Structures are given as C-alpha cells and as structure tokens.
Amino acid sequence: MKRITLPARPDWRDKAQAVGFGFHVMYGEPYWLDDAAYTFTLEEIEKQIEEPSQELHDMCMDLVGEIVGSEEALDRLAIPEDLRDVVQRSWQRRDRHLYGRFDLAYDGNGPAKLLEYNADTPTSVFETAYFQFNWLTDQIALGVLPKDADQYNFLQESLVEAFDQFPKEPIFHFAAITDNEEDRGTTVYLMDCAVQAGHRVELLDIREIGIDAQGRYTDLKDRVIDRCFKLYPWEFMLREPFARELARSGDVFVEPAWKAVLSNKGLLPLLWQRHPHHPNLLPSYFTDDPAASALTDYVRKPLLSREGENVTIFRDGREAFSAPGDYGDEGFVIQAYAPLFESDNGFAVLGSWVAGDRACGLAVREDRSRITANLSRFVPHVIME
C-alpha cells in the first residue's frame, strides 16, 4: 500500500458536474482528490481486504440472530425496549438488505483490523462505485496509469444484483434529507442502480412521508409505500414519533430494522466475545467490562456515533485526540487502538464494501486527523503490481 501523486484529469470538474457530483467540494473544502491515489498489490487486495471483509460480513450475519434473541444484548446496544419486536420480527422475516461498509485500519503490514461496520446508512457509494472507476479508465486512456492497472471495484454491478432480488412492483420509493447535497446525490445514484435492476422508483424527502388512516406510510400522492430505501439511520427512526407505526409497517424499509444491531458499536465487543483473537478484530469491550482496564492504547466510541463524533483516542492511558459531537448518551465501547496508514498527507482509513452478501469494492478516505470525519477526503485507488 502506497500513496502516490499524479496529474489530475483536466476536465474532471466538468465530469463531476455532469453526473451530479456537486459535493466534490463540501463547505469550501476539497472532498474528491483527482491528483492522488492509493496503490495496492493484487495480493493485498485479495488476501488482506476482500477475503477478510467477506469473512467479517459472514461473522456479523451469524451473530445477528443471537443478538436479537437476547434481551441482555439488546440492552447493551440501547435498542429501545418498546420497539425491540420491530427489530426481532424484521430478522425473523429475514427482511432483505442492500449494502454496508466496513471501516478498516490497514497500512500494508499485517492483517486489516475492523474499526466499525457502517451497515445502515453508509455514504461514499457513488464516489466508490462510479466516479473512481471513471477516474481509473480516464487515467489509463490518458497514459497516466498503465493499461493493466485495475481497481477492486465491482460495487455497482453488485448493487444492481442486490436490487434485483427485491420484488419489482409496485414502486420502490427512495427517501433522504433531500436538501443535503451529499445525501441526495447518494440516494439518486442508488435509484439509478434500482432502475437498472428493473424497478420503478420515486424520490421523496423523508420528512414528506405521511401516514394514512390504516397506519400505513404514504407518499405525497397518498400512495401507500410498500418498499422504501431510506438514507436515514435506524437509531433516529426508533426514537421519533414516526416510529409508532413501525409495528404495523416495519417491513417497508431498506435497510431493514435488524441492521440497527450491526450499525451499533456494541457489535464490536460482541464480535470479540464470539471470535476472541480473530486476526481482523481488535480487542473490544463494554466500558463496565474489567478486561477493558488492561488496555492502555485504546479508542472510546459512542454506541451510536457517526462521522467520528465524540470519538476519543487514548495513548498510554491518557487522552490524546478527541472529536466533538452530540453522541454518547446511550453509552460507549472501548476498542484497542490500531494505527492507520500514515503519510505526509495524513491518515487513511479503508472502506470495504459489501452489497447483498458479497464483498465487492474499496474506498479510501484520508484526513489530517487520526479520527476520520465527515469532511475527510476521498482518494481513488488502483491495483498495480
């Protein structure tokens, strides 16, 4: 694994605008880097990223039934008691799921280590599946990269295959906070994948979803919503007045309610309990576990944090780095510290994608901070021997 610089495509901004990638700059800061890349060998990709990601996903899926069947585990994950049956029934029905992204620490030496599983509302899917592949083909055509350069990236075709597993009728709704450019762009891209799989689709703002007299969710035309992808986290949905109808219509949403247990940081100590010393896991504990006191270099993470908020890194038992935020009321977990790939440009974290049940692609984000956050930059990758 290396970081390289190379000439940016002269027309990449026009290409970004043409495909709705307006969030290549966010809040005045560059988000997409066209003049840099992370390089991997094929063996690194296959043996250190793809195979472990598939195994991690299989391990997670194997653990879901145990978690949803245990009141103690659901307590640990702070799943609201009055809506646990929504989560449990979702798993008992095996409600179909779409995708997820593992965040991994990997520096080219030793096994990749799982930092967390973004199993509910992962973003950067458009950048991974489409725009970095577009970057690769352009750079090969321009002679910047060799003709045999490759990329670990069959995310788009895997998403289309995953959408193809859902019933085609009547309409697949897609809901997000549509005035957020990144969320809207991500959702519109997924709609395009669904269309390729043969679905009729419709976009609406999640705040526009209504409820009819029978307690069913409806769109702006008062049509009953039978299936709805939502780029909106379950931890919010389970704690809002909106949730009172989930008992009746909880099978509508994608991702399904059982993903609430995989997107929760409490998954990390539960995985460690089930698979102690697994090479791709880090020692992880709930904060009241006496074993946590043995760690001197560790990270404290809120159960429900996103974008690195309220994450704190401790080195030699002392607080070394922290990120602000509004999370933490539900509790924390402790995870052993794992160094990220480090270069003069900062620290890089790998995002390894799963669509359906197949590991299928890679994203790399970097930041000056050791804590990856919302504005961390997306850098394309390439496989070169």
Side-chain angles (χ1 to χ4, degrees):
M1 180 182 180
K2 297 179 182 177
R3 189 187 191 281
I4 62 172
T5 57
L6 67 177
R9 294 171 293 170
D11 56 350
W12 75 265
R13 290 180 178 79
D14 293 337
K15 290 188 172 184
Q17 290 301 133
V19 294
F21 187 20
F23 53 99
H24 65 76
V25 173
M26 289 199 286
Y27 307 104
E29 297 292 330
Y31 169 63
W32 168 269
L33 296 191
D34 211 79
D35 60 353
Y38 283 91
T39 70
F40 297 87
T41 66
L42 182 60
E43 182 175 359
E44 285 177 325
I45 290 292
E46 290 183 341
K47 301 299 183 184
Q48 302 298 332
I49 300 169
E50 184 177 11
E51 290 183 6
S53 296
Q54 187 65 57
E55 184 175 357
L56 287 169
H57 176 72
D58 294 344
M59 289 159 53
C60 289
M61 295 297 288
D62 186 53
L63 189 56
V64 176
E66 183 176 310
I67 296 174
V68 302
S70 166
E71 289 298 317
E72 180 183 359
L74 294 172
D75 275 341
R76 284 292 199 183
L77 271 56
I79 302 295
E81 191 171 350
D82 60 337
L83 289 170
R84 287 177 186 175
D85 60 333
V86 173
V87 177
Q88 291 164 335
R89 286 205 299 270
S90 171
W91 176 250
Q92 290 161 1
R93 288 190 304 262
R94 297 295 193 273
D95 287 349
R96 190 166 295 284
H97 67 118
L98 180 65
Y99 72 153
R101 192 195 71 226
F102 291 108
D103 282 351
L104 304 174
Y106 178 67
D107 63 2
N109 300 298
K113 299 292 187 181
L114 174 63
L115 301 178
E116 63 184 60
Y117 194 9
N118 300 284
D120 186 14
T121 59
T123 54
S124 76
V125 61
F126 165 80
E127 303 91 292
T128 303
Y130 180 81
F131 206 67
Q132 75 163 347
F133 184 72
N134 180 258
W135 170 90
L136 175 72
T137 56
D138 282 352
Q139 295 290 36
I140 292 174
L142 290 167
V144 174
L145 291 174
K147 292 182 179 178
D148 60 351
D150 203 354
Q151 204 170 70
Y152 173 37
N153 193 357
F154 41 100
L155 177 55
Q156 179 161 307
E157 51 265 52
S158 300
L159 286 167
V160 173
E161 290 173 7
F163 274 118
D164 189 50
Q165 300 303 309
F166 290 91
K168 299 298 192 301
E169 296 294 339
I171 298 174
F172 208 137
H173 286 81
F174 285 73
I177 304 295
T178 55
D179 52 9
N180 179 298
E181 189 172 14
E182 182 185 10
D183 285 6
R184 182 185 180 91
T186 298
T187 304
V188 169
Y189 171 72
L190 290 170
M191 289 173 65
D192 183 67
C193 292
V195 169
Q196 292 182 52
H199 291 279
R200 288 195 299 148
V201 299
E202 184 143 332
L203 176 67
L204 74 165
D205 192 288
I206 197 158
R207 294 163 291 194
E208 296 171 341
I209 294 177
I211 299 173
D212 71 8
Q214 286 76 48
R216 300 170 299 185
Y217 297 115
T218 57
D219 66 11
L220 289 175
K221 298 177 182 175
D222 293 328
R223 295 176 299 194
V224 173
I225 297 175
D226 293 291
R227 187 161 294 100
C228 182
F229 170 86
K230 48 85 190 165
L231 195 62
Y232 192 73
W234 272 107
E235 65 259 30
F236 292 172
M237 291 176 64
L238 291 175
R239 290 167 171 79
E240 296 175 350
F242 181 85
R244 66 182 182 274
E245 307 302 337
L246 285 171
R248 183 195 304 267
S249 303
D251 61 340
V252 165
F253 295 102
V254 179
E255 298 295 329
W258 59 262
K259 278 293 189 82
V261 307
L262 292 188
S263 60
N264 188 302
K265 306 298 187 299
L267 173 71
L268 301 170
L270 296 176
L271 275 175
W272 183 250
Q273 288 174 17
R274 172 72 80 88
H275 305 280
H277 309 295
H278 188 284
N280 300 113
L281 296 179
L282 292 162
S284 301
Y285 308 98
F286 292 103
T287 51
D288 60 355
D289 189 330
S293 61
L295 298 177
T296 55
D297 292 343
Y298 60 93
V299 182
R300 187 180 68 190
K301 300 179 175 181
L303 290 176
L304 304 178
S305 173
R306 290 170 180 271
E307 305 291 0
E309 289 192 23
N310 299 102
V311 169
T312 305
I313 298 175
F314 294 81
R315 305 299 301 273
D316 295 325
R318 297 181 178 180
E319 181 176 326
F321 310 97
S322 65
D326 298 320
Y327 294 95
D329 289 345
E330 291 80 11
F332 293 82
V333 298
I334 301 294
Q335 183 184 51
Y337 174 77
L340 302 179
F341 177 92
E342 183 176 358
S343 73
D344 293 340
N345 298 279
F347 303 91
V349 64
L350 306 192
S352 184
W353 288 91
V354 174
D357 291 301
R358 180 170 66 163
C360 58
L362 177 66
V364 184
R365 295 180 67 190
E366 67 177 20
D367 202 295
R368 289 290 181 188
S369 168
R370 295 174 187 271
I371 301 173
T372 305
N374 189 37
L375 295 181
S376 299
R377 299 173 297 277
F378 190 104
V379 185
H381 81 274
V382 59
I383 301 172
M384 294 193 299
E385 295 296 337

